[in-house]
């Protein structure tokens, strides 16, 4: 039919349908102003395709250890998929306040289109404790699309070393599950060195031991209470063919830093995933932050500007919250901020630093004196 | 009413500077208590309310498709009126105050909210949040006092023009949303400036407001009636929308008049406010410059909790659902410091506010000195004051004041 219509010189049906849909939407929007059709549909069907925000509904919360749980989420139709090893940002309403955190996806793409994150409740962690202990199926979560380049290369290398500690296992389990759930399991030589506080604390312990028992991976499981922390200098003993294995590592900053030094000295390939920014800089004096609308905030020298502004109820652009994704960047037209990772100062002087100001990452920048943000 | 500093007895005269600051500290503590308790239940409240309001509005509009049948017209019109009132008062006004910004939900945030009203959210937030809430009841600074067209205080010189102010007030009530839009734009002031000299800001804002009005009118008077056309209900739907807007306008005008206008609510002189007004002084001004409406929970909801005008003016950024909870503590503080906590049922407050509008439309002391017996004579005086020059007016005014003083002495 379409081809006939086209030969007659009429609009193709696809375009026609789109035009009609656009017109109908215009009418609906005009009938609903100042709302629009999406505002109304969001109440009825928040998971539909083309919803104004990407959201997900919690399907189940399954305890992994006493302090961790896997949360299975049905994302809205707008979810554009992910590669195992990637993370996503999750917006959770805790005590009525929307807080955003980043978690690794712990499954490869699934047949039921659901996604999962595995969260470890950390001491004083507002969001992690809420997700592990107080989240029930049916809860709606705000989502952002998957992101991150901590993924296995394509084609896969023949040999791999995976080094993880604590909840650092989460992106790696996603990779392993994806590999081992295939109809034809790829023939790979994988070594997994995983360190956790104690045997009972090993997230996915049974699962990785099962992979080892089936000969899919070689597992070295270390428990800090009996074996102490993983010493990177023992790596060459543990993995004699270290040089042939690209290393993928995820865990606390101390381990990753040590690995970076170790691998760099030997010229080995290392991919890391950090969960939290490295806060190194000595905190200094803060200052007053002003915004384009004239409002002001007092910021200390140790708290990221993003947290300060959000704490005051301001809407701020945000992303990974660890200084990677540039989702939080705002122009600073005047003043100084300190990079909390390395203490570096960024200074903007009106008239000298260009009219648009200096772009700063608010998630890792603290006030180092008064500053003005164009926002 | 007279500004507080020109009154024979200043109702705050018995307060020492230390008292005023103590009141400030106590009110700050009440505010902090709410901030600490604010959480999930509050978030649930506003989200549920937004959803209920939207369902009610859509449901009412659906019912109006069948409004060729009178019972459906009535049902749909009542529903739409209630929906518009909720949208403007308990939701729009309070969201745009930033009462829900702490949730960090971009969908319910003062910076993103737009409301079902002729004035733009942006314009309203400026004139309301910045001007009215900062300069509450300061004659000449707070345009909410009379919206620039009325005589709201004895100290404002009477001119015959004010005789019409009950009529203006009624017209303003019926088309209140346009009144607010005009007031946000400072239309009167700006239109008196020659066209080529008007500021760019004014021109840009006027353009935005016109666009908003066009969209609002298109919705209520074109699109929705057109959708009802196939059901033979275009005209009834149009009438229903007009009625719902009228009801919303009159209702919100009444509530807002009750907030600052009833007899006994204090006004302030510009020069009596110190430049370095302390938090305590500001609080006391807010305490005396507002009046509450007592009533049921439903009434509080429908007024957008502006029935707790006193609490709202003390804590404009606390979630409105918490005002009822802090009201007894606030009232206890008024009692403790011998201040007048002004609260009365809606009809009494509406009557009181209208009485004041009428009284001030007439020369000072005219109403007080008029009895059924001397009415013809008084009308003659009024006629003379309205038609003859300022000199006659001044003389007549002096006589009225003298008469009034004698009456007071006799009593």
């Amino acid at each position: 039919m379409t081809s006939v219509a086209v030969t007659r010189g009429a609009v193709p049906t696809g375009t026609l349908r789109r035009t009609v849909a656009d017109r109908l939407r215009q009418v609906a929007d005009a009938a609903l102003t100042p709302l629009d059709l999406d505002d109304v549909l969001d109440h009825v069907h928040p998971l539909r395709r083309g919803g104004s925000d990407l959201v997900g509904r919690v399907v189940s919360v399954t305890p992994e250890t006493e302090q961790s749980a896997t949360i299975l989420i049905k994302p809205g139709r707008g979810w554009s998929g992910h590669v195992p090893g990637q993370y996503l940002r999750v917006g959770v309403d805790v005590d009525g306040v929307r807080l955003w955190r980043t978690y690794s996806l712990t499954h490869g793409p699934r047949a039921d289109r659901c996604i999962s994150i595995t969260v470890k409740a950390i001491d004083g962690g507002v969001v992690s404790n809420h997700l592990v202990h107080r989240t029930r199926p049916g809860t709606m979560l705000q989502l952002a699309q998957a992101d991150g380049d901590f993924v296995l290369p394509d084609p896969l290398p023949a040999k791999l070393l995976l080094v993880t500690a604590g909840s650092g296992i989460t992106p790696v389990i996603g990779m392993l599950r994806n590999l081992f759930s295939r109809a034809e399991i790829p023939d790979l030589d994988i070594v997994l060195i995983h360190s956790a506080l104690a045997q009972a604390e090993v997230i996915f312990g049974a699962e990785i031991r099962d992979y080892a028992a089936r000969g899919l991976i070689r597992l070295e499981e270390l428990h800090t209470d009996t074996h102490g922390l993983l010493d990177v200098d023992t790596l060459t003993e543990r993995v004699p063919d270290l040089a042939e294995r690209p290393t993928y590592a995820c865990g606390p900053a101390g381990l990753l830093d040590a690995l970076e030094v170790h691998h760099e000295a030997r010229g080995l390939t290392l991919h890391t995933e950090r969960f939290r920014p490295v806060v190194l800089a000595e905190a200094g004096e803060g200052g007053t932050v002003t915004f384009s609308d004239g409002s002001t905030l007092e910021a200390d020298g140790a708290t990221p500007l993003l947290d300060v502004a959000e704490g005051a109820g301001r809407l701020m652009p945000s992303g990974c919250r660890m200084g990677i994704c540039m989702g939080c960047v705002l122009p600073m037209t005047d003043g100084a901020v300190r990079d909390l990772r390395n203490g570096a100062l960024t200074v903007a002087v009106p008239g000298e630093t260009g009219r648009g100001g200096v772009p700063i990452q608010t998630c890792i920048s603290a006030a180092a004196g008064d500053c003005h943000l164009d926002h | 009413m007279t500004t507080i500093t020109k009154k024979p007895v200043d109702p705050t005269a018995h307060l020492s500077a230390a008292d005023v600051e103590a009141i400030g500290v106590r009110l700050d503590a009440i505010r902090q208590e709410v901030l600490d308790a604010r959480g999930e239940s509050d978030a649930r409240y506003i989200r549920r309310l937004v959803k209920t309001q939207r369902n009610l509005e859509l449901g009412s509009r659906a019912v109006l498709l069948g409004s060729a049948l009178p019972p459906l017209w009535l049902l749909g019109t009542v529903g739409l009126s209630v929906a518009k009132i909720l949208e403007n008062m308990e939701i729009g006004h309070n969201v745009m105050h930033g009462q829900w910004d702490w949730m960090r939900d971009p969908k319910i945030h003062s910076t993103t909210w737009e409301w079902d009203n002729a004035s733009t959210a942006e314009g309203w937030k400026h004139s309301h949040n910045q001007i009215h809430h900062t300069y509450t009841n300061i004659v000449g600074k707070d345009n909410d006092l009379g919206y620039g067209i009325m005589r709201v205080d004895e100290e404002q010189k009477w001119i015959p023009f004010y005789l019409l102010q009950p009529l203006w007030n009624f017209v303003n009530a019926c088309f209140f949303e346009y009144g607010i839009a005009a007031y946000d734009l400072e239309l009167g002031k700006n239109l008196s400036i020659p066209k080529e000299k008007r500021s760019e800001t004014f021109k840009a804002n006027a353009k935005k407001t016109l666009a908003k009005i066009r969209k609002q009118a298109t919705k209520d008077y074109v699109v929705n009636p057109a959708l009802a056309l196939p059901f033979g209900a275009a005209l009834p739907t149009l009438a229903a929308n007009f009625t719902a807007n009228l009801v919303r306008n009159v209702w919100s005008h009444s509530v807002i008049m009750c907030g600052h206008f009833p007899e006994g609510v204090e006004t302030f002189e510009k020069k009596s406010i110190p430049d370095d007004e302390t938090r305590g002084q500001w609080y006391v001004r807010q305490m005396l410059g507002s009046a509450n409406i007592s009533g049921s929970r439903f009434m509080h909801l429908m007024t957008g909790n502006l029935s707790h005008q006193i609490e709202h003016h003390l804590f404009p950024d606390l979630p409105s659902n918490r005002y009822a909870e802090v009201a007894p503590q606030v009232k206890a503080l008024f009692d403790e410091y011998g201040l007048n906590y002004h609260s009365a049922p809606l009809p009494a407050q509406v009557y009181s506010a209208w009485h004041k509008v009428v009284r001030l439309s007439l020369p000072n002391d005219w109403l007080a000195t008029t009895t059924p017996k001397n009415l013809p004579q008084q009308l003659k005086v009024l006629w003379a004051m309205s038609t003859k020059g300022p000199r006659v007016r001044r003389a007549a005014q002096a006589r009225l004041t003298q008469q009034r003083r004698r009456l007071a002495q006799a009593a």
Side-chain angles (χ1 to χ4, degrees):
Chain A
M1 281 308 285
T2 312
S3 58
V4 176
V6 170
T7 51
R8 277 185 196 151
V11 232
T13 42
T15 320
L16 188 66
R17 201 180 303 138
R18 219 169 307 135
T19 316
V20 171
D22 284 350
R23 277 289 140 77
L24 284 177
R25 176 170 279 268
Q26 272 174 7
V27 172
D29 287 347
L32 293 166
T33 185
L35 301 181
D36 58 28
L37 188 59
D38 283 329
D39 291 321
V40 174
L41 293 179
D42 281 347
H43 286 291
V44 190
H45 186 14
L47 297 186
R48 75 192 190 285
R49 187 182 296 282
S52 38
D53 284 332
L54 182 59
V55 293
R57 181 182 289 122
V58 173
V59 177
S60 65
V61 181
T62 316
E64 294 290 349
T65 65
E66 259 181 38
Q67 289 302 324
S68 61
T70 292
I71 296 163
L72 190 67
I73 303 163
K74 185 171 182 55
R77 306 269 302 174
W79 174 253
S80 27
H82 72 282
V83 182
Q86 284 190 309
Y87 58 81
L88 89 160
R89 294 197 305 120
V90 184
V92 191
D93 289 334
V94 185
D95 284 337
V97 182
R98 183 156 304 160
L99 301 171
W100 287 85
R101 293 294 183 273
T102 305
Y103 294 105
S104 292
L105 288 146
T106 44
H107 269 108
R110 291 163 51 118
D112 61 3
R113 295 195 65 260
C114 284
I115 54 176
S116 68
I117 53 174
T118 300
V119 181
K120 182 161 188 257
I122 51 175
D123 266 352
V126 179
V127 176
S128 61
N129 278 288
H130 182 86
L131 282 173
V132 172
H133 299 301
R134 292 192 296 278
T135 300
R136 304 279 167 265
T139 305
M140 299 303 289
L141 301 174
Q142 308 291 311
L143 306 176
Q145 298 292 352
D147 204 351
D149 46 17
F150 188 71
V151 296
L152 294 179
D154 187 27
L156 289 160
K159 289 177 163 191
L160 271 176
L161 170 62
L162 308 171
V163 182
T164 58
S167 58
I169 186 75
T170 51
V172 165
I173 199 77
M175 296 173 177
L176 296 179
R177 283 173 175 172
N178 191 45
L179 292 174
F180 303 149
S181 63
R182 292 183 190 175
E184 209 172 305
I185 296 175
D187 184 23
L188 294 177
D189 176 354
I190 302 174
V191 176
L192 168 62
I193 301 179
H194 179 61
S195 170
L197 285 177
Q199 173 135 29
E201 301 273 337
V202 181
I203 307 174
F204 309 124
E207 188 171 343
I208 53 177
R209 281 168 218 135
D210 176 58
Y211 290 149
R214 285 160 60 196
L216 296 171
I217 59 170
R218 178 161 79 79
L219 173 68
E220 279 212 38
E221 187 181 331
L222 307 171
H223 304 134
T224 313
D225 55 355
T226 49
H227 307 98
L229 283 172
L230 171 63
D231 178 2
V232 292
D233 290 331
T234 63
L235 272 183
T236 28
E237 291 161 37
R238 295 178 194 275
V239 191
D241 53 354
L242 185 61
E244 296 163 38
R245 296 174 184 272
T247 307
Y248 285 78
C250 182
L255 172 67
L256 298 184
D257 291 346
L259 268 175
E260 272 171 6
V261 173
H262 176 271
H263 273 54
E264 204 180 312
R266 290 162 183 76
L268 301 174
T269 321
L270 174 68
H271 305 271
T272 60
E273 177 79 321
R274 287 177 190 272
F275 285 156
R276 240 161 273 285
V278 201
V279 178
L280 285 178
E282 284 284 307
E285 294 275 305
T288 305
V289 189
T290 53
F291 295 90
S292 313
D293 62 2
S295 58
T296 60
L297 287 174
E298 286 307 317
D300 64 47
T303 315
L305 290 176
L306 177 62
D307 293 353
V308 175
E310 286 188 338
R314 250 194 117 80
L315 289 182
M316 297 282 285
S318 69
C320 65
R321 290 175 185 271
M322 48 187 166
I324 294 172
C325 78
M326 304 291 158
C328 66
V329 168
L330 288 178
M332 172 172 70
T333 51
D334 189 5
V337 293
R338 180 176 280 106
D339 188 325
L340 286 168
R341 296 167 300 183
N342 57 14
L345 279 177
T346 304
V347 180
V349 184
E352 282 180 29
T353 28
R355 209 176 309 153
V358 185
I360 59 156
Q361 292 169 274
T362 57
C363 75
I364 46 88
S365 299
D370 295 347
C371 42
H372 180 85
L373 296 181
D374 238 359
H375 177 57
Chain B
M1 184 171 62
T2 312
T3 51
I4 196 164
T5 31
K6 292 202 176 163
K7 285 198 159 180
V9 184
D10 179 346
T12 60
H14 62 288
L15 294 179
S16 69
D19 285 340
V20 172
E21 292 322 299
I23 290 172
V25 171
R26 294 273 293 278
L27 286 170
D28 274 341
I30 294 174
R31 176 189 147 79
Q32 191 57 46
E33 234 172 81
V34 176
L35 290 183
D36 293 343
R38 196 174 64 177
E40 202 180 329
S41 66
D42 302 85
R44 209 180 306 124
Y45 170 80
I46 189 66
R47 292 218 171 88
R48 194 184 292 167
L49 184 67
V50 167
K51 198 170 174 178
T52 306
Q53 186 277 332
R54 286 180 186 173
N55 288 340
L56 178 63
E57 175 163 352
L58 286 178
S60 304
R61 291 198 184 277
V63 167
L64 285 174
L65 294 177
S67 59
L69 299 170
L72 290 184
W73 186 89
L74 192 65
L75 184 68
T77 306
V78 169
L80 189 59
S81 303
V82 172
K84 278 178 178 271
I85 288 171
L86 286 174
E87 201 272 350
N88 274 195
M89 312 281 286
E90 179 67 345
I91 302 174
H93 168 269
N94 293 332
V95 169
M96 288 193 288
H97 253 293
Q99 292 182 4
W100 302 98
D101 285 7
W102 58 275
M103 298 200 303
R104 300 188 203 167
D105 180 349
K107 291 280 177 63
I108 305 182
H109 200 274
S110 64
T111 54
T112 59
W113 195 267
E114 188 53 82
W115 65 341
D116 180 5
N117 197 292
S119 65
T120 62
E122 194 191 342
W124 183 84
K125 277 185 289 189
H126 170 74
S127 63
H128 182 83
N129 290 358
Q130 288 173 28
I131 309 293
H132 167 59
H133 273 269
T134 316
Y135 303 111
T136 310
N137 285 25
I138 299 178
V139 175
K141 270 241 173 178
D142 180 3
N143 284 325
D144 265 33
L145 281 179
Y147 296 100
I149 53 164
M150 301 221 301
R151 181 170 183 251
V152 294
D153 196 287
E154 268 89 354
E155 286 163 27
Q156 260 172 294
K157 209 170 90 184
W158 183 85
I159 51 166
F161 170 79
Y162 288 130
L163 282 173
L164 289 174
Q165 86 174 14
L167 179 68
W168 294 143
N169 199 39
F170 178 72
V171 172
N172 190 26
C174 295
F175 301 98
F176 193 43
E177 55 177 321
Y178 302 102
I180 295 179
Y183 148 66
D184 292 343
L185 290 172
E186 298 190 85
L187 199 61
K189 191 178 103 186
N190 278 300
L191 288 186
S192 66
I193 301 171
K195 206 169 181 180
E196 60 282 3
K197 283 191 188 161
R198 289 174 199 158
S199 77
E200 287 306 314
T201 325
F202 167 73
K203 282 188 226 163
N205 290 341
K207 210 169 149 190
K208 281 184 205 158
T209 304
L210 283 176
K212 179 86 193 287
I213 290 174
R214 201 184 60 230
K215 272 174 107 175
Q216 289 287 116
T218 308
K219 165 180 70 171
D220 283 338
Y221 304 130
V222 180
V223 180
N224 278 294
L227 290 174
L229 198 60
F231 306 94
L235 277 180
T237 299
L238 192 141
N241 283 309
F242 181 80
T243 309
N245 282 332
L246 185 74
V247 169
R248 182 266 316 272
N249 287 344
V250 171
W251 174 258
S252 47
H253 179 267
S254 302
V255 169
I256 285 155
M257 258 211 331
C258 291
H260 299 292
F261 227 59
E263 302 279 4
V265 175
E266 308 295 348
T267 51
F268 306 87
E269 258 187 307
K270 214 192 276 188
K271 62 171 189 277
S272 76
I273 312 292
D275 286 337
D276 53 348
E277 187 181 34
T278 65
R279 188 140 176 89
Q281 288 169 324
W282 181 84
Y283 267 137
V284 170
R285 179 155 57 84
Q286 301 298 336
M287 290 165 93
L288 299 176
S290 312
N292 280 4
I293 308 168
S294 54
S296 65
R297 279 183 63 175
F298 181 68
M299 203 274 315
H300 291 311
L301 174 69
M302 292 302 285
T303 63
N305 273 301
L306 291 181
S307 49
H308 294 114
Q309 187 78 236
I310 298 173
E311 287 73 19
H312 173 59
H313 264 266
L314 292 173
F315 314 120
D317 59 345
L318 288 187
S320 56
N321 61 321
R322 294 273 181 170
Y323 288 150
E325 182 185 312
V326 300
Q329 297 177 61
V330 172
K331 179 165 189 320
L333 195 68
F334 271 74
D335 293 345
E336 193 181 326
Y337 285 92
L339 296 169
N340 180 23
Y341 187 86
H342 203 300
S343 181
L346 185 70
Q349 296 289 53
V350 171
Y351 172 80
S352 177
W354 270 100
H355 183 265
K356 189 154 127 188
V357 169
V358 172
R359 181 166 56 80
L360 291 167
S361 73
L362 298 160
N364 287 351
D365 302 322
W366 189 89
L367 204 59
T369 52
T370 301
T371 59
K373 228 169 82 187
N374 70 0
L375 187 63
Q377 203 184 332
Q378 287 287 89
L379 282 175
K380 238 167 78 186
V381 173
L382 186 60
W383 177 254
M385 287 180 85
S386 310
T387 49
K388 298 196 173 131
R391 197 175 299 169
V392 177
R393 218 181 289 153
R394 264 201 305 278
Q397 182 64 64
R399 267 200 304 281
L400 283 173
T401 310
Q402 198 182 29
Q403 249 177 303
R404 161 75 189 257
R405 223 173 273 145
R406 265 190 223 131
L407 274 176
Q409 274 162 11

